Amino acid sequence: QVQLVESGGGVVQPGRSLRLSCAASGFTFSNYVMHWVRQAPGKGLEWVAVISDDGSNKYYADSVKGRLTISRDNFKNTLYLQMNRLRPDDTAVYYCVWGLGHWGQGTLVIVSS
Amino acid sequence: QAVVTQEPSLTVSPGGTVTLTCGFSTGAVTSGHSPYWFQQKPGQAPRTLIYETNNKYSRTPARFSGSLLGGKAALTLSGAQPEDEAEYYCLLSYDDARPWVFGGGTKLTVL
């Protein structure tokens, strides 16, 4: 059974950093592309970033380029999102998505002073 | 920058058929854009219904189908059920620099 469990969300001040994690199980993590998708309160879905199976290729939405970094540890079956220089408009539920087919339950990040 | 367009809202009668569409501001949607469709109910994480234009997961109800229609990606619901009332999002692959873009979503009401 596929499980994607995000963690690391919380309340953070503007300009600070946060690292999200997504623990994956139930599939061969190292064989698949992984995505982060976010959803601001009351808004639609926004694709954030994608990483290749071996971590060598990464792509980002323009809105997060240079501030958010996707990475993975295939030994720990874990996906990460390092979030730097956070802004209030980064406030959202962040979802980890396996190959665009399976979604975690999300972790809420609130950027506020 | 390309924008992915969806109908903001649609209404369908129980048992009826409705088609949701997904367009690109820069031109026609093709299979090369690898259209995906997602369903999201209030308070829940999204779930994927259709991948790469018209492929279903084993968990996707048979009443949902994907296609290309008139230069857009389309999601057709045949025989709508009350539980199909939800927000539906499409996702298109754009280019190497910005590989994926969501549409704004369609709020589907079954009434």
Side-chain angles (χ1 to χ4, degrees):
Chain A
Q1 180 183 352
V2 172
Q3 275 204 308
L4 298 166
V5 180
E6 301 94 336
S7 61
V11 181
V12 61
Q13 292 180 327
R16 304 298 290 264
S17 299
L18 205 60
R19 189 177 81 157
L20 306 183
S21 300
C22 170
S25 60
F27 64 102
T28 307
F29 180 74
S30 58
N31 286 356
Y32 294 95
V33 166
M34 296 294 295
H35 299 253
W36 285 102
V37 174
R38 70 183 181 182
Q39 186 170 35
K43 302 296 184 182
L45 300 174
E46 181 185 14
W47 177 82
V48 172
V50 61
I51 187 168
S52 59
D53 54 357
D54 64 357
S56 61
N57 292 299
K58 307 173 186 181
Y59 299 95
Y60 299 92
D62 287 347
S63 58
V64 307
K65 212 172 284 186
R67 299 186 303 113
L68 275 56
T69 302
I70 189 171
S71 62
R72 65 193 297 161
D73 185 331
N74 284 346
F75 294 104
K76 295 182 178 179
N77 289 347
T78 302
L79 177 72
Y80 301 102
L81 187 67
Q82 177 66 42
M83 309 171 71
N84 296 333
R85 303 197 307 277
L86 282 162
R87 308 186 310 216
D89 62 357
D90 293 317
T91 294
V93 174
Y94 285 76
Y95 294 102
C96 163
V97 191
W98 166 38
L100 294 172
H102 296 267
W103 296 65
Q105 286 304 301
T107 186
L108 176 61
V109 173
I110 298 173
V111 183
S112 174
S113 54
Chain B
Q1 180 174 342
V3 174
V4 178
T5 58
Q6 296 184 246
E7 299 86 1
S9 63
L10 290 170
T11 300
V12 61
S13 300
T17 296
V18 64
T19 297
L20 290 65
T21 67
C22 175
F24 237 152
S25 61
T26 57
V29 175
T30 69
S31 59
H33 293 110
S34 298
Y36 279 71
W37 289 95
F38 307 90
Q39 177 193 66
Q40 187 179 33
K41 297 181 180 180
Q44 296 183 15
R47 71 162 179 157
T48 310
L49 295 175
I50 301 289
Y51 65 98
E52 295 175 358
T53 305
N54 56 9
N55 296 286
K56 300 181 188 182
Y57 291 92
S58 56
R59 61 182 182 270
T60 303
R63 59 186 180 274
F64 289 96
S65 63
S67 65
L68 295 176
L69 200 62
K72 296 183 178 183
L75 177 70
T76 300
L77 171 57
S78 303
Q81 302 296 309
E83 61 265 30
D84 298 328
E85 187 162 294
E87 193 84 22
Y88 291 83
Y89 295 92
C90 70
L91 178 70
L92 299 178
S93 175
Y94 182 29
D95 61 25
D96 287 346
R98 291 180 295 276
W100 297 99
V101 182
F102 277 100
T106 296
K107 182 175 174 58
L108 182 65
T109 301
V110 180
L111 189 62

